[in-house]
């Protein structure tokens, strides 16, 4: 398989959607056939699960239910979208993937990381991203950005600052453990500075 699998991660408001558009444009200009997708979601069934997970009127969901729904959506996503794309030698760019589960359900909700690893092994069967761009910034800045966007907030965005602090820490911990795969981007920099950093990282991936 010659296509690469890229995911982007970060706390809310880190600028993932903004930079996803840049990465998509850059790789298309380099002639790459690219599948752009997201989690939770990316398939018809997965998008229905996403609605269940994100709708702010879903109250009192147990953490284990949340975890299992994330993996149910992911199992479908991997089988229907990601694997077929990589088998066609396409590139895949996913707005979030399994690192988000370790960060949100592990760090945020406090679920045992070993349990998440077990589900991950079962669902992914060895599939992992070639590179993950982790957009890191102080939680408060991300929250201000989300608020100034003036859109509604989802079920996760209702959580308090310390929930997102734990998520940020877990993401950074994973980046420390896997520095070759997870590249930390300082998301407090300007959009242009971030694009420059991404260009260098993408060029390396393109020549590998
Ligand atoms: N979730 C989970 O719990 N477990 C899992 O396994 C998975 C997901 C896969 C999905 O939401 C939710 O599901 C997510 C985690 C959970 N919950 N949260 N929170 P999502 O990924 O669709 O949405 P999000 O994380 O909330 O993303 P977002 O709010 O859309 O943020 P973003 O895409 O990172 O940011 P943005 O829209 O690009 O930028 C936000 C604003 O800042 C916008 O006005 C930009 O113009 C501005 N911006 C962007 N970059 C900059 C810079 N560099 N400087 C200044 N301003 C900037």
């Amino acid at each position: 398989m010659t296509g690469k699998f890229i995911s982007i991660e970060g706390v809310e408001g880190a600028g993932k959607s903004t930079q996803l558009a840049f990465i998509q444009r850059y790789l298309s200009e380099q002639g790459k056939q690219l599948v752009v997708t997201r989690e939770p979601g990316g398939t018809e069934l997965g998008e229905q699960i996403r609605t269940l997970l994100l709708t702010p009127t879903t109250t009192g969901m147990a953490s284990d239910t949340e975890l299992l729904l994330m993996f149910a959506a992911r199992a479908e996503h991997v089988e229907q979208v990601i694997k077929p794309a990589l088998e066609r030698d396409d590139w895949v760019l996913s707005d979030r993937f399994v690192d988000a589960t370790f960060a949100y359900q592990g760090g945020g909700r406090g679920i045992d990381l070993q349990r998440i690893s077990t589900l991950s092994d079962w669902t992914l069967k060895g599939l992992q991203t070639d590179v993950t761009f982790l957009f890191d910034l102080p939680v408060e800045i991300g929250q201000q950005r989300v608020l100034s966007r003036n859109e509604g907030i989802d079920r996760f965005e209702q959580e308090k600052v310390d929930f997102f602090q734990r998520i940020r820490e877990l993401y950074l911990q994973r980046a420390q453990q896997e520095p070759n795969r997870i590249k930390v981007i300082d998301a407090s920099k300007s959009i242009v500075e971030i694009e420059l950093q991404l260009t260098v990282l993408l060029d390396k991936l393109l020549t590998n």
Side-chain angles (χ1 to χ4, degrees):
M1 289 188 285
T2 55
K4 304 274 194 233
F5 180 18
I6 304 169
S7 69
I8 55 179
E9 298 280 1
V11 291
E12 51 159 6
K16 291 179 293 88
S17 311
T18 307
Q19 296 301 340
L20 181 121
F22 171 76
I23 297 171
Q24 181 173 10
R25 207 167 53 242
Y26 191 77
L27 290 174
S28 298
E29 282 166 8
Q30 309 302 312
K32 296 298 168 198
Q33 194 70 36
L34 185 67
V35 173
V36 180
T37 185
R38 68 174 180 183
E39 287 205 349
T43 64
E44 210 181 313
L45 180 60
E47 290 294 326
Q48 289 181 36
I49 295 175
R50 179 185 177 92
T51 304
L52 282 176
L53 281 162
L54 297 196
T55 185
T57 49
T58 308
T59 52
M61 185 186 292
S63 297
D64 281 353
T65 310
E66 184 178 284
L67 173 71
L68 292 167
L69 285 174
M70 290 294 174
F71 272 106
R74 182 163 301 129
E76 196 69 8
H77 193 209
V78 165
E79 291 307 319
Q80 307 284 349
V81 176
I82 299 175
K83 277 191 186 163
L86 294 173
E87 280 161 10
R88 288 193 306 269
D89 291 334
D90 288 354
W91 286 49
V92 176
L93 173 60
S94 186
D95 188 344
R96 299 192 185 279
F97 192 58
V98 72
D99 295 298
T101 311
F102 283 92
Y104 279 78
Q105 281 63 53
R109 301 284 187 225
I111 295 178
D112 180 13
L113 298 180
Q114 194 48 53
R115 252 206 234 182
I116 301 177
S117 284
T118 303
L119 286 170
S120 176
D121 292 346
W122 180 20
T123 315
L124 305 187
K125 302 174 190 77
L127 176 74
Q128 188 47 288
T129 57
D130 293 289
V131 69
T132 290
F133 298 126
L134 170 56
F135 292 94
D136 177 60
L137 90 167
V139 167
E140 292 83 356
I141 300 180
Q143 289 187 320
Q144 280 161 18
R145 286 185 187 171
V146 168
L147 286 178
S148 62
R149 212 169 37 184
N150 249 344
E151 289 170 12
I153 57 167
D154 66 37
R155 194 173 63 85
F156 288 95
E157 289 163 351
Q158 295 173 329
E159 293 290 339
K160 303 221 161 48
V161 173
D162 61 331
F163 174 76
F164 293 104
Q165 298 281 19
R166 293 195 298 277
I167 290 165
R168 183 185 184 200
E169 280 159 27
L170 211 296
Y171 267 135
L172 289 172
Q173 189 182 312
R174 281 180 75 73
Q176 252 184 358
Q177 288 162 350
E178 293 187 71
N180 289 332
R181 184 177 68 83
I182 304 180
K183 304 294 178 194
V184 182
I185 312 259
D186 180 353
S188 64
K189 292 199 170 152
S190 73
I191 291 175
V192 172
E193 284 174 301
I194 295 170
E195 285 176 358
L196 281 175
Q197 194 182 347
L198 281 173
T199 304
V200 173
L201 292 166
L202 288 169
D203 283 346
K204 269 193 201 149
L205 198 62
L206 283 159
T207 51
N208 260 340

